[in-house]
Amino acid sequence: MKKRLFHKLEPSPRKVRARSLSSGLVCLSAGAASAFAFAPYEISVVPFITLAVLFRTWRTNTGKQAFINGYLFGLGLFGVGVSWLHISINLFSGINLAGAWLVTLLLIAYLSLFPALTGLLANCRSLRSDYTFFLVMIPSLWTLGEWIRSWLFTGFPWLSLGYTQTSGMLSGYGSLLGVFGISFILAFLAGSLVLVFGKNRSMTLAATLLLILLAGWQLRQYQWTGNSEAEISVALVQGAIPQELKWLPEYKNTSLERYPELTEPFWGHDLIIWPETAIPGLLNEVRDYIGQLDRTASQHGSVVLAGLPTRHPDSGAYFNSLVLLGGKQQVYSKRHLVPFGEYLPLKWLLQWPLDVLNIPIADFTPAPAHEPLLFHTGGYSMGLSICYEAIFGAEIIRALPQAGVLVNVSNDAWFGDSASPHQHLQMARMRAIETGRYLLRATNTGISAIIDRKGNIVGKTGQFEPDAVAATVPLFKGSTPYVIAGDKPIVTLSLVLLLLMLLFGTPARDKSQI
């Protein structure tokens, strides 16, 4: 009789499958909703809720179920958040729409492995304590997953959850611990919400949650860097040359004429910035044009930064570069190239099938590591980055504390009227927060922006229209804690917490005890 009663309490296989399906749909929806926490929507409260939903699901999952639900969360997040990638692949890589979507889906499938593996590893050891699971295990694993994603296979840290707080309550932690530190705190708070509204209902934890939010707000007001009492007048010029026309020979003169015309009202400003590849020609092919621009800038007491490709005279290697004119001529070349967009990884393996399919791939070379990260002019220094480089905080801080201001040039025309330019700008704003410096971001089609050291936009252009934005910008000195230590503290903390948990965490005998 007791045995029959026990079997009645056991869920049927059909009910188990229904629960699994329901759980998967919830995680998929939570991931998709999380994408709306990023620009252009920036609903910063969303990930607190969606992560809490995912983490609560993981607590009752087996390892396999946690992997599947984490993967579905990733499919929702990246499926919505980076679906714009197909635009550039289809329009500018010679691949039809079906092929472009296939490549995009492959990237989404890869990125989704990171939350999936986080869920799997979190369930490798069944823990008796909910506090250990939600407040130690999950935040540490999530943070390490995002950090690994930022450098594995050259790195793709797009949609790291810390960026959702660029305008949120936790942004002040950016100067202290960087974007991955914010991700850790966000995951910790999401786990806390599960405990506060679950069976534990800890008022102490609720107070801690509130205290962390208030501390983040106060840290946002704290001044880690000091004003050098110097300032410069700057102008960012946006030519809005359509990407499909930019490199056509018959359109070259339009590009070469438009930027000087837009610059005319700003001669006399200390610094004028043209975007990535604003000049559609190799440096040695447009020497006369560069010479005239250099002389005009010097006559007006201005310095011009202009993006264009360059070629090494001996090796023949091509570089994506930024040249300084109007002062001592200097050249900065991009170090961190975009895989498949600017170079072909695993060329020995992939070149043949791409040739067969007639798919063109740009063949730029990364700049040597010993080349400078700074331009020095007019008694101050600028920390430089080109396009994709702005999404790597650990690379931007290499120019500090010497740089008084940061400069990023980009060309987001590749991705049309999608979320990509807005997300890219959001990440650039986080670099300003992390470093305690103004960041000047000039792009070909928008969004060009002047960003203060708190990540606020002081001035910006519209998209897809010839425009310019100007302001007087203070120069800063000193270092934030993140500039001094980079990602080491939060990565070390995550590793140490996991080690301590593995050594001293009390395991549950079975899932029924959880």
Side-chain angles (χ1 to χ4, degrees):
M1 183 69 181
K2 288 182 180 179
K3 187 174 183 181
R4 285 198 299 273
L5 179 62
F6 174 80
H7 281 294
K8 284 183 180 180
L9 297 176
E10 284 289 314
S12 67
R14 185 175 180 180
K15 287 185 177 180
V16 170
R17 288 193 296 271
R19 287 179 185 176
S20 178
L21 178 61
S22 175
S23 173
L25 289 174
V26 167
C27 291
L28 179 67
S29 300
S34 298
F36 291 90
F38 296 92
Y41 313 101
E42 297 193 61
I43 310 173
S44 61
V45 70
V46 166
F48 291 94
I49 301 168
T50 55
L51 283 181
V53 169
L54 176 66
F55 297 168
R56 179 66 185 86
T57 303
W58 277 346
R59 185 56 168 150
T60 56
N61 283 165
T62 63
K64 178 181 177 181
Q65 291 169 332
F67 180 90
I68 293 171
N69 285 333
Y71 198 80
L72 289 170
F73 182 92
L75 287 178
L77 172 62
F78 297 110
V80 174
V82 300
S83 60
W84 41 260
L85 185 64
H86 79 277
I87 297 172
S88 64
I89 297 173
N90 174 227
L91 295 180
F92 307 115
S93 296
I95 302 178
N96 62 29
L97 186 59
W101 270 113
L102 176 61
V103 174
T104 302
L105 290 173
L106 288 173
L107 175 63
I108 292 169
Y110 160 71
L111 296 173
S112 299
L113 286 171
F114 289 89
L117 289 171
T118 299
L120 174 64
L121 293 173
N123 281 274
C124 281
R125 179 184 172 100
S126 296
L127 297 169
R128 187 189 301 271
S129 169
D130 284 344
Y131 288 88
T132 304
F133 183 84
F134 287 117
L135 305 183
V136 179
M137 173 79 87
I138 296 293
S140 300
L141 286 173
W142 190 281
T143 303
L144 289 173
E146 287 195 345
W147 174 70
I148 292 169
R149 181 160 63 86
S150 75
W151 53 260
L152 186 65
F153 305 127
T154 77
F156 190 76
W158 216 280
L159 299 192
S160 294
L161 285 173
Y163 289 117
T164 66
Q165 302 302 301
T166 302
S167 300
M169 289 284 286
L170 301 180
S171 64
Y173 289 103
S175 301
L176 193 65
L177 295 169
V179 70
F180 300 125
I182 298 178
S183 291
F184 182 96
I185 295 167
L186 181 55
F188 178 91
L189 294 179
S192 300
L193 283 176
V194 177
L195 296 172
V196 168
F197 291 101
K199 62 182 180 181
N200 297 275
R201 296 189 181 279
S202 168
M203 295 309 297
T204 301
L205 192 57
T208 302
L209 189 155
L210 182 60
L211 183 62
I212 291 172
L213 289 173
L214 292 174
W217 186 255
Q218 287 300 310
L219 281 170
R220 185 175 174 86
Q221 317 307 317
Y222 190 80
Q223 308 296 329
W224 295 102
T225 54
N227 194 320
S228 68
E229 300 183 357
E231 58 184 25
I232 56 173
S233 55
V234 303
L236 315 181
V237 180
Q238 176 178 299
I241 308 295
Q243 188 61 34
E244 62 270 22
L245 301 177
K246 188 177 182 70
W247 296 98
L248 295 179
E250 61 270 27
Y251 211 81
K252 182 175 181 179
N253 286 338
T254 301
S255 298
L256 295 177
E257 292 168 3
R258 181 171 296 180
Y259 276 96
E261 290 172 359
L262 291 170
T263 302
E264 187 66 34
F266 302 102
W267 286 124
H269 281 60
D270 297 309
L271 178 62
I272 299 169
I273 305 174
W274 294 4
E276 179 185 17
T277 59
I279 301 173
L282 289 166
L283 180 59
N284 64 323
E285 296 174 348
V286 290
R287 285 289 183 188
D288 292 342
Y289 181 86
I290 290 291
Q292 180 59 49
L293 183 60
D294 185 38
R295 290 188 293 273
T296 304
S298 297
Q299 290 167 5
H300 290 90
S302 298
V303 165
V304 173
L305 304 187
L308 78 171
T310 59
R311 185 181 183 185
H312 193 281
D314 298 324
S315 67
Y318 291 94
F319 302 96
N320 187 351
S321 302
L322 186 63
V323 61
L324 183 148
L325 305 170
K328 180 182 178 182
Q329 193 169 121
Q330 301 165 59
V331 176
Y332 167 82
S333 295
K334 191 175 182 181
R335 288 166 164 72
H336 202 140
L337 302 178
V338 181
F340 298 100
E342 293 178 308
Y343 82 103
L344 180 63
L346 301 175
K347 191 171 183 177
W348 60 272
L349 177 64
L350 299 176
Q351 186 66 64
W352 178 79
L354 290 175
D355 288 342
V356 170
L357 295 171
N358 195 29
I359 298 175
I361 296 291
D363 194 20
F364 282 107
T365 299
H370 64 269
E371 287 195 3
L373 297 163
L374 299 155
F375 278 166
H376 305 278
T377 186
Y380 65 96
S381 299
M382 296 171 273
L384 307 169
S385 62
I386 297 177
C387 191
Y388 191 63
E389 293 178 317
I391 72 175
F392 299 94
E395 296 183 13
I396 295 298
I397 62 175
R398 293 176 186 172
L400 299 167
Q402 293 88 346
V405 66
L406 300 176
V407 173
N408 174 249
V409 296
S410 187
N411 179 21
D412 290 336
W414 295 100
F415 305 106
D417 188 14
S418 69
S420 176
H422 302 275
Q423 294 170 355
H424 204 173
L425 175 61
Q426 186 179 42
M427 289 186 276
R429 291 171 57 204
M430 182 57 71
R431 301 291 87 83
I433 294 171
E434 290 172 343
T435 60
R437 300 289 195 281
Y438 269 66
L439 188 145
L440 312 175
R441 185 169 187 268
T443 73
N444 181 36
T445 57
I447 306 166
S448 300
I450 297 170
I451 305 165
D452 73 12
R453 61 174 173 167
K454 297 298 181 183
N456 302 312
I457 296 176
V458 175
K460 66 177 182 178
T461 63
Q463 280 189 281
F464 311 112
E465 57 187 49
D467 202 356
V469 58
T472 298
V473 169
L475 304 175
F476 286 88
K477 60 183 179 181
S479 299
T480 64
Y482 181 72
V483 167
I484 295 171
D487 296 320
K488 295 183 185 70
I490 195 62
V491 171
T492 302
L493 174 64
S494 298
L495 289 170
V496 169
L497 287 175
L498 286 176
L499 179 62
L500 291 175
M501 182 209 60
L502 291 173
L503 292 175
F504 303 109
T506 306
R509 284 190 293 272
D510 56 64
K511 276 282 185 181
S512 65
Q513 295 185 356
I514 297 173

